[in-house]
Amino acid sequence: AKFLGAPKTMRRMMRCRWASTEVLTSEDIAHFREEGWLVKDPFFEPDHLRAIRASLEEIHAGGRLANVSTEGDGKTKGEVRNLQICPLSPESDLFRSLPFHPKVSEAMRLLLCDEDTQSVTNYLSQAFWKPPSKGLGTSYHQDNAYFQVSDGSKGAAVWIAVHDATVSNGTLHVARGMHKKGVLPHRRDLASDHHITCDDHIPQSAEVPLEVKAGGVAFFNLDVPHCTKRNATSNSRAAVAYHFVRSDFFRDRAFPLPEDADWRTPVVAGPESSGGVREYGVACDTFQRDADAVLAKV
Protein backbone atom coordinates (compact mmCIF):
# COMPACT_ATOMS: atom_id res chain seq x y z
CA ALA A 1 0.00 0.00 0.00
CA LYS A 2 2.88 2.35 0.74
CA PHE A 3 4.16 1.79 -2.79
CA LEU A 4 0.97 2.85 -4.55
CA GLY A 5 0.25 5.66 -2.13
CA ALA A 6 3.65 7.33 -2.43
CA PRO A 7 4.17 10.55 -4.40
CA LYS A 8 4.78 10.07 -8.11
CA THR A 9 8.56 10.66 -7.99
CA MET A 10 8.97 8.31 -5.04
CA ARG A 11 6.79 5.69 -6.76
CA ARG A 12 9.13 5.72 -9.74
CA MET A 13 12.14 5.26 -7.47
CA MET A 14 10.45 2.46 -5.54
CA ARG A 15 9.32 0.78 -8.76
CA CYS A 16 12.94 0.65 -9.90
CA ARG A 17 14.08 -0.90 -6.60
CA TRP A 18 11.25 -3.40 -6.76
CA ALA A 19 12.16 -4.30 -10.34
CA SER A 20 15.80 -4.93 -9.56
CA THR A 21 15.18 -7.08 -6.48
CA GLU A 22 11.78 -8.75 -6.78
CA VAL A 23 10.35 -8.85 -10.29
CA LEU A 24 12.75 -10.60 -12.69
CA THR A 25 16.42 -11.55 -12.51
CA SER A 26 18.88 -11.32 -15.39
CA GLU A 27 18.69 -15.14 -15.58
CA ASP A 28 14.90 -14.93 -15.91
CA ILE A 29 15.17 -12.46 -18.77
CA ALA A 30 17.82 -14.54 -20.54
CA HIS A 31 15.68 -17.68 -20.21
CA PHE A 32 12.62 -15.91 -21.63
CA ARG A 33 14.49 -14.46 -24.57
CA GLU A 34 16.06 -17.81 -25.47
CA GLU A 35 13.27 -20.27 -24.66
CA GLY A 36 10.34 -17.91 -25.29
CA TRP A 37 8.69 -18.64 -21.93
CA LEU A 38 9.25 -18.24 -18.19
CA VAL A 39 7.45 -19.33 -15.01
CA LYS A 40 7.55 -17.11 -11.90
CA ASP A 41 5.93 -18.82 -8.95
CA PRO A 42 4.99 -17.17 -6.65
CA PHE A 43 4.42 -13.80 -8.31
CA PHE A 44 1.38 -12.08 -6.80
CA GLU A 45 0.99 -11.39 -3.10
CA PRO A 46 -1.65 -13.57 -1.38
CA ASP A 47 -4.12 -10.69 -0.96
CA HIS A 48 -3.76 -9.72 -4.60
CA LEU A 49 -4.50 -13.31 -5.63
CA ARG A 50 -7.56 -13.34 -3.36
CA ALA A 51 -8.85 -10.18 -5.01
CA ILE A 52 -8.28 -11.54 -8.53
CA ARG A 53 -10.00 -14.81 -7.67
CA ALA A 54 -12.95 -13.09 -5.97
CA SER A 55 -13.42 -10.76 -8.94
CA LEU A 56 -13.40 -13.63 -11.42
CA GLU A 57 -15.75 -15.72 -9.26
CA GLU A 58 -18.20 -12.80 -9.27
CA ILE A 59 -18.08 -12.60 -13.07
CA HIS A 60 -18.54 -16.37 -13.30
CA ALA A 61 -21.48 -16.33 -10.89
CA GLY A 62 -23.06 -13.54 -12.92
CA GLY A 63 -23.07 -15.67 -16.07
CA ARG A 64 -20.66 -13.40 -17.93
CA LEU A 65 -18.39 -16.22 -19.12
CA ALA A 66 -19.36 -17.71 -22.49
CA ASN A 67 -19.25 -21.39 -23.35
CA VAL A 68 -17.00 -21.54 -26.42
CA SER A 69 -16.96 -25.35 -26.72
CA THR A 70 -18.93 -27.12 -29.44
CA GLU A 71 -19.98 -30.65 -30.27
CA GLY A 72 -17.08 -31.14 -32.68
CA ASP A 73 -18.46 -29.21 -35.64
CA GLY A 74 -17.25 -25.74 -34.69
CA LYS A 75 -20.74 -24.32 -34.16
CA THR A 76 -23.22 -26.55 -32.27
CA LYS A 77 -23.24 -25.71 -28.57
CA GLY A 78 -23.78 -28.46 -26.03
CA GLU A 79 -22.45 -29.22 -22.60
CA VAL A 80 -20.55 -26.39 -20.89
CA ARG A 81 -16.90 -27.45 -21.05
CA ASN A 82 -14.84 -24.36 -21.87
CA LEU A 83 -15.79 -20.92 -20.51
CA GLN A 84 -14.13 -17.70 -21.62
CA ILE A 85 -14.50 -13.93 -21.61
CA CYS A 86 -12.64 -11.53 -23.88
CA PRO A 87 -11.86 -8.73 -23.33
CA LEU A 88 -11.70 -8.99 -19.55
CA SER A 89 -10.54 -5.48 -18.62
CA PRO A 90 -13.97 -3.81 -18.99
CA GLU A 91 -15.54 -6.19 -16.46
CA SER A 92 -14.25 -4.47 -13.31
CA ASP A 93 -11.95 -1.76 -12.01
CA LEU A 94 -9.59 -4.44 -10.74
CA PHE A 95 -9.23 -6.12 -14.12
CA ARG A 96 -8.80 -2.71 -15.75
CA SER A 97 -5.96 -1.87 -13.38
CA LEU A 98 -4.31 -5.31 -13.32
CA PRO A 99 -2.02 -4.68 -16.35
CA PHE A 100 -0.79 -1.55 -14.53
CA HIS A 101 0.13 -3.60 -11.45
CA PRO A 102 3.76 -2.53 -10.82
CA LYS A 103 5.12 -6.08 -11.05
CA VAL A 104 3.19 -6.88 -14.24
CA SER A 105 4.08 -3.68 -16.07
CA GLU A 106 7.71 -3.81 -14.95
CA ALA A 107 8.07 -7.46 -15.96
CA MET A 108 6.75 -6.62 -19.42
CA ARG A 109 9.16 -3.72 -19.72
CA LEU A 110 12.09 -5.95 -18.76
CA LEU A 111 11.08 -8.77 -21.11
CA LEU A 112 10.18 -6.71 -24.18
CA CYS A 113 12.20 -3.49 -24.10
CA ASP A 114 15.87 -3.00 -24.96
CA GLU A 115 16.02 0.73 -24.25
CA ASP A 116 14.49 3.11 -21.71
CA THR A 117 12.86 5.04 -24.55
CA GLN A 118 10.61 2.08 -25.46
CA SER A 119 7.11 1.51 -24.11
CA VAL A 120 4.73 -1.44 -23.71
CA THR A 121 1.04 -1.59 -24.68
CA ASN A 122 -1.59 -3.92 -23.22
CA TYR A 123 -3.14 -5.49 -26.31
CA LEU A 124 -5.80 -7.90 -25.00
CA SER A 125 -7.20 -9.47 -21.81
CA GLN A 126 -9.01 -12.76 -21.25
CA ALA A 127 -10.19 -15.19 -18.60
CA PHE A 128 -10.65 -18.95 -18.88
CA TRP A 129 -12.68 -21.24 -16.63
CA LYS A 130 -12.50 -25.03 -16.99
CA PRO A 131 -15.34 -26.84 -15.19
CA PRO A 132 -14.56 -29.89 -13.04
CA SER A 133 -14.32 -33.38 -14.58
CA LYS A 134 -15.42 -32.31 -18.06
CA GLY A 135 -13.41 -29.11 -18.59
CA LEU A 136 -12.09 -29.02 -22.15
CA GLY A 137 -8.62 -27.74 -22.93
CA THR A 138 -7.75 -25.19 -25.60
CA SER A 139 -5.76 -26.73 -28.46
CA TYR A 140 -2.24 -25.69 -29.41
CA HIS A 141 -2.10 -22.28 -31.02
CA GLN A 142 0.15 -19.24 -31.28
CA ASP A 143 -1.17 -15.86 -30.22
CA ASN A 144 0.52 -14.29 -33.20
CA ALA A 145 -1.63 -16.35 -35.54
CA TYR A 146 -4.42 -14.07 -34.28
CA PHE A 147 -2.50 -10.84 -33.66
CA GLN A 148 -0.22 -10.85 -36.73
CA VAL A 149 2.36 -8.42 -35.34
CA SER A 150 5.53 -8.25 -37.41
CA ASP A 151 7.78 -9.84 -34.75
CA GLY A 152 6.20 -12.19 -32.21
CA SER A 153 9.19 -11.90 -29.88
CA LYS A 154 8.23 -8.26 -29.28
CA GLY A 155 5.00 -9.29 -27.61
CA ALA A 156 4.16 -11.54 -24.67
CA ALA A 157 1.36 -12.92 -22.57
CA VAL A 158 1.22 -13.20 -18.81
CA TRP A 159 -0.90 -16.22 -17.84
CA ILE A 160 -2.04 -15.96 -14.21
CA ALA A 161 -3.05 -19.12 -12.35
CA VAL A 162 -6.19 -18.29 -10.38
CA HIS A 163 -6.25 -21.83 -8.95
CA ASP A 164 -3.34 -24.27 -8.72
CA ALA A 165 -2.66 -25.42 -12.29
CA THR A 166 -1.44 -29.03 -12.49
CA VAL A 167 -1.11 -31.74 -15.09
CA SER A 168 -4.22 -33.38 -13.62
CA ASN A 169 -6.42 -30.33 -14.15
CA GLY A 170 -5.01 -29.46 -17.56
CA THR A 171 -2.40 -26.81 -16.90
CA LEU A 172 -0.71 -24.70 -19.55
CA HIS A 173 1.68 -26.54 -21.89
CA VAL A 174 4.21 -25.00 -24.29
CA ALA A 175 6.02 -26.52 -27.26
CA ARG A 176 9.77 -26.27 -26.69
CA GLY A 177 11.74 -24.58 -29.48
CA MET A 178 8.79 -24.15 -31.82
CA HIS A 179 8.70 -20.37 -31.33
CA LYS A 180 11.80 -20.13 -33.51
CA LYS A 181 9.86 -21.39 -36.54
CA GLY A 182 7.66 -18.30 -36.81
CA VAL A 183 3.89 -18.57 -37.20
CA LEU A 184 2.90 -22.14 -38.05
CA PRO A 185 -0.05 -23.07 -40.28
CA HIS A 186 -3.32 -23.05 -38.34
CA ARG A 187 -6.74 -24.53 -39.09
CA ARG A 188 -10.13 -24.13 -37.40
CA ASP A 189 -10.45 -25.99 -34.12
CA LEU A 190 -13.85 -27.67 -34.43
CA ALA A 191 -14.10 -28.24 -30.67
CA SER A 192 -14.52 -24.44 -30.35
CA ASP A 193 -16.82 -21.84 -31.84
CA HIS A 194 -13.91 -19.62 -32.91
CA HIS A 195 -10.47 -20.97 -32.02
CA ILE A 196 -7.80 -21.96 -34.49
CA THR A 197 -5.09 -24.55 -33.87
CA CYS A 198 -1.64 -25.64 -35.00
CA ASP A 199 -1.97 -29.07 -33.36
CA ASP A 200 -0.93 -30.81 -36.57
CA HIS A 201 2.55 -29.26 -36.38
CA ILE A 202 3.43 -29.91 -32.72
CA PRO A 203 5.51 -33.05 -32.04
CA GLN A 204 4.66 -34.74 -28.76
CA SER A 205 8.34 -34.68 -27.82
CA ALA A 206 8.25 -30.85 -27.75
CA GLU A 207 5.48 -30.61 -25.12
CA VAL A 208 6.43 -29.06 -21.77
CA PRO A 209 3.77 -28.88 -19.02
CA LEU A 210 4.09 -25.77 -16.85
CA GLU A 211 2.62 -26.43 -13.43
CA VAL A 212 1.89 -23.13 -11.69
CA LYS A 213 0.49 -22.63 -8.21
CA ALA A 214 -2.29 -20.11 -7.68
CA GLY A 215 -0.80 -16.62 -7.78
CA GLY A 216 2.10 -17.71 -9.96
CA VAL A 217 2.43 -16.74 -13.60
CA ALA A 218 3.78 -17.97 -16.89
CA PHE A 219 5.14 -15.53 -19.46
CA PHE A 220 5.45 -16.56 -23.13
CA ASN A 221 6.06 -14.65 -26.32
CA LEU A 222 3.49 -14.43 -29.09
CA ASP A 223 5.16 -17.09 -31.25
CA VAL A 224 5.22 -19.79 -28.54
CA PRO A 225 2.71 -22.57 -29.32
CA HIS A 226 0.75 -23.30 -26.17
CA CYS A 227 -2.34 -25.18 -25.06
CA THR A 228 -4.23 -26.38 -22.03
CA LYS A 229 -5.55 -29.89 -21.44
CA ARG A 230 -8.70 -31.49 -20.05
CA ASN A 231 -9.58 -30.81 -16.43
CA ALA A 232 -10.06 -34.33 -15.02
CA THR A 233 -10.31 -33.25 -11.38
CA SER A 234 -13.31 -32.53 -9.15
CA ASN A 235 -12.53 -28.80 -8.91
CA SER A 236 -12.71 -25.95 -11.41
CA ARG A 237 -9.51 -24.44 -12.77
CA ALA A 238 -9.32 -20.83 -13.92
CA ALA A 239 -6.70 -18.52 -15.36
CA VAL A 240 -6.48 -14.89 -16.42
CA ALA A 241 -4.28 -13.78 -19.33
CA TYR A 242 -3.12 -10.38 -20.51
CA HIS A 243 -1.25 -9.83 -23.75
CA PHE A 244 1.26 -7.07 -24.42
CA VAL A 245 3.27 -5.72 -27.35
CA ARG A 246 6.17 -3.34 -27.42
CA SER A 247 4.54 -0.14 -28.55
CA ASP A 248 6.67 0.33 -31.66
CA PHE A 249 5.32 -3.04 -32.90
CA PHE A 250 1.68 -2.18 -32.21
CA ARG A 251 -0.74 -2.76 -35.08
CA ASP A 252 -4.48 -2.36 -35.49
CA ARG A 253 -6.57 -5.34 -34.46
CA ALA A 254 -6.56 -8.20 -36.97
CA PHE A 255 -8.77 -10.57 -34.93
CA PRO A 256 -12.54 -10.49 -34.38
CA LEU A 257 -14.29 -9.43 -31.18
CA PRO A 258 -18.00 -8.92 -30.47
CA GLU A 259 -19.33 -5.71 -32.00
CA ASP A 260 -19.99 -4.16 -28.60
CA ALA A 261 -16.58 -5.10 -27.16
CA ASP A 262 -14.79 -2.29 -25.31
CA TRP A 263 -11.32 -2.95 -26.75
CA ARG A 264 -8.76 -0.45 -25.48
CA THR A 265 -4.99 -0.68 -25.62
CA PRO A 266 -3.43 1.32 -22.79
CA VAL A 267 0.30 1.92 -22.64
CA VAL A 268 1.30 0.43 -19.28
CA ALA A 269 5.08 0.88 -19.13
CA GLY A 270 7.72 3.22 -20.49
CA PRO A 271 7.76 6.94 -21.24
CA GLU A 272 4.53 6.86 -23.27
CA SER A 273 2.45 5.55 -20.36
CA SER A 274 -0.02 7.96 -18.77
CA GLY A 275 -1.19 5.45 -16.17
CA GLY A 276 -4.36 4.95 -18.20
CA VAL A 277 -5.42 8.61 -18.28
CA ARG A 278 -4.94 8.95 -22.04
CA GLU A 279 -6.93 5.80 -22.87
CA TYR A 280 -9.59 5.80 -20.12
CA GLY A 281 -9.78 9.42 -18.99
CA VAL A 282 -8.88 8.42 -15.41
CA ALA A 283 -5.82 7.02 -13.68
CA CYS A 284 -5.79 3.21 -13.78
CA ASP A 285 -2.57 2.47 -11.93
CA THR A 286 -4.76 1.80 -8.89
CA PHE A 287 -4.52 -1.96 -8.40
CA GLN A 288 -3.93 -1.85 -4.64
CA ARG A 289 -6.94 0.41 -4.09
CA ASP A 290 -9.08 -1.77 -6.35
CA ALA A 291 -7.93 -4.95 -4.60
CA ASP A 292 -8.73 -3.44 -1.20
CA ALA A 293 -12.23 -2.56 -2.43
CA VAL A 294 -12.83 -6.11 -3.64
CA LEU A 295 -11.57 -7.68 -0.43
CA ALA A 296 -13.70 -5.35 1.68
CA LYS A 297 -16.76 -7.02 0.15
CA VAL A 298 -15.58 -10.63 0.53
Side-chain angles (χ1 to χ4, degrees), residues 32 36-37 108 111-113 119-121 123 143-144 147 149-158 179 219-224 242-250:
F32 175 85
W37 59 270
M108 284 298 134
L111 293 176
L112 298 179
C113 297
S119 298
V120 177
T121 297
Y123 202 58
D143 292 332
N144 212 23
F147 297 165
V149 300
S150 59
D151 183 348
S153 71
K154 300 302 187 291
V158 55
H179 63 293
F219 300 100
F220 49 90
N221 82 31
L222 301 183
D223 282 340
V224 171
Y242 284 76
H243 299 79
F244 302 84
V245 294
R246 208 173 78 189
S247 299
D248 51 326
F249 284 84
F250 179 90

Side-chain angles (χ1 to χ4, degrees), residues 270-298:
E272 296 175 24
S273 177
S274 65
V277 173
R278 183 183 307 111
E279 297 86 4
Y280 289 101
V282 295
C284 299
D285 51 352
T286 54
F287 184 86
Q288 184 66 60
R289 184 186 71 193
D290 298 334
D292 289 344
V294 170
L295 294 176
K297 298 186 297 182
V298 174

Side-chain angles (χ1 to χ4, degrees), residues 127-174:
F128 315 94
W129 190 288
K130 311 297 184 178
S133 303
K134 59 188 178 182
L136 184 69
T138 300
S139 299
Y140 269 106
H141 63 283
Q142 294 163 294
D143 292 332
N144 212 23
Y146 294 97
F147 297 165
Q148 300 177 30
V149 300
S150 59
D151 183 348
S153 71
K154 300 302 187 291
V158 55
W159 188 91
I160 303 165
V162 176
H163 305 108
D164 289 350
T166 67
V167 170
S168 296
N169 65 16
T171 191
L172 182 72
H173 290 58
V174 296

Side-chain angles (χ1 to χ4, degrees), residues 84-148:
Q84 179 180 332
I85 188 167
C86 179
L88 175 64
S89 291
E91 295 298 315
S92 73
D93 289 346
L94 181 128
F95 287 128
R96 185 180 64 182
S97 65
L98 198 156
F100 294 91
H101 186 295
K103 291 184 74 172
V104 173
S105 60
E106 181 63 13
M108 284 298 134
R109 188 190 68 80
L110 292 169
L111 293 176
L112 298 179
C113 297
D114 301 312
E115 301 174 3
D116 290 341
T117 56
Q118 295 168 340
S119 298
V120 177
T121 297
N122 174 214
Y123 202 58
L124 193 63
S125 56
Q126 299 172 280
F128 315 94
W129 190 288
K130 311 297 184 178
S133 303
K134 59 188 178 182
L136 184 69
T138 300
S139 299
Y140 269 106
H141 63 283
Q142 294 163 294
D143 292 332
N144 212 23
Y146 294 97
F147 297 165
Q148 300 177 30

Side-chain angles (χ1 to χ4, degrees), residues 26 194 256-257 268 295:
S26 57
H194 70 284
L257 286 174
V268 300
L295 294 176

